[in-house]
Amino acid sequence: ILEILVAEAAALARHPFGNYCVQRLLECGPEEAKRSVIAALAANAGACGRSAYGCAALAAAFEYSAAPERAALAAAVASEPSLLLDMALSRVGNTTAVRVLEELSPLQAQQVRQEFLAASQVLLKSRFGRLVAERL
């Protein structure tokens, strides 16, 4: 069963119930399985980040992974055009967007902050966007 969960991690992360399996695997699973799941989430960062369920799985990946894996995952999320802004505007994604910012290199974080400042009108119109803007 573990092999199937790992192989389908990106799809399960976006599923209303499957995301809980991914989160639990990231919390309690063997290290090799965790690394594989995080790699799958990074490879599918755009799809996961645009899904409320996927954002919850990404949040678990940031919570239960080592620093190098968090940095790689944050870079993958930040590399998707407008993904962080979309996440910042959503109920589940806003906290994950802040976590991504915390894990980025200083240069990458500065680039994202500039992108957010350019879109400040959009951020400030959203309840969740305002929460992210306060943490910049």
Side-chain angles (χ1 to χ4, degrees), residues 73 115 117:
L73 185 57
E115 184 181 315
L117 287 175

Side-chain angles (χ1 to χ4, degrees), residues 26-46:
L26 288 165
E27 180 183 4
C28 302
E31 289 303 316
E32 184 59 36
K34 288 181 186 183
R35 282 190 292 277
S36 296
V37 168
I38 292 167
L41 293 175
N44 294 279

Side-chain angles (χ1 to χ4, degrees), residues 117-130:
L117 287 175
S120 62
Q121 294 292 331
V122 175
L123 275 176
L124 296 176
K125 286 182 182 179
S126 163
R127 173 177 145 198
F128 303 111
R130 285 191 300 272

Side-chain angles (χ1 to χ4, degrees), residues 1 3 6 15 18 28 34 51-52 59 81 84 92 108 114 129 132-133:
I1 293 178
E3 292 85 19
V6 170
H15 187 273
C28 302
K34 288 181 186 183
S51 159
L84 273 174
V92 177
Q108 290 172 316
Q114 288 174 348
V132 173

